[in-house]
Amino acid sequence: MYKFVKDVSDNHNVGLLAGSLYMMAPYHLTDLYVRNALAEFASFMFIPLVFLGLYNIVQKEGKSWYLSLGAIGLIFTHNISALYTAILGLIYLLVNIKALKDKETWKLLGINALFIVMITLC
């Protein structure tokens, strides 16, 4: 979460605050200490990576591999979180519909989707 917010806001302090709040959120702590939902807790580290990858693709800032890394991690740790994140990612892309008119954006999304499918088929 720190890396995602730092890249979006270009502010180290905001990234540090967001990362701290994200990891100390009551739902995360409940998952870890009360419910013992370790897989769901582990999936929380991959959700910001998915959105960082989508942000980099939409803003054309390179490093689109964050999307693949985050999605692969989500699929391997917690499938339900992966489904919810995919729906939210689709909404994010629809909000940024202007970026989808560029062929380079479609190319990067396709390459990442192919890579995600190939890795998770095993």
Side-chain angles (χ1 to χ4, degrees):
M1 180 57 89
Y2 165 77
K3 175 81 171 135
F4 174 54
V5 174
K6 182 180 163 279
D7 285 356
V8 171
S9 68
D10 291 329
N11 190 338
H12 168 74
N13 293 329
V14 173
L16 190 62
L17 178 66
S20 299
L21 290 175
Y22 185 69
M23 288 312 300
M24 291 186 295
Y27 187 74
H28 292 216
L29 297 176
T30 302
D31 269 353
L32 185 62
Y33 295 116
V34 176
R35 293 183 47 222
N36 291 327
L38 191 57
E40 188 175 351
F41 181 76
S43 72
F44 286 131
M45 83 173 130
F46 296 110
I47 294 171
L49 288 176
V50 170
F51 287 103
L52 178 60
L54 287 173
Y55 175 79
N56 285 340
I57 289 172
V58 168
Q59 298 298 322
K60 297 172 184 53
E61 294 185 4
K63 296 185 182 179
S64 65
W65 54 269
Y66 283 122
L67 174 61
S68 296
L69 182 67
I72 290 167
L74 272 173
I75 291 169
F76 282 149
T77 56
H78 198 250
N79 292 332
I80 296 171
S81 295
L83 177 65
Y84 291 151
T85 304
I87 292 168
L88 289 175
L90 183 62
I91 292 170
Y92 176 76
L93 288 174
L94 290 175
V95 167
N96 294 302
I97 194 82
K98 289 182 183 178
L100 295 178
K101 293 179 181 177
D102 187 25
K103 289 184 180 182
E104 185 67 25
T105 302
W106 282 104
K107 178 183 168 188
L108 289 173
L109 287 172
I111 290 170
N112 278 289
L114 183 65
F115 190 70
I116 292 164
V117 168
M118 290 178 66
I119 293 293
T120 57
L121 279 177
C122 299

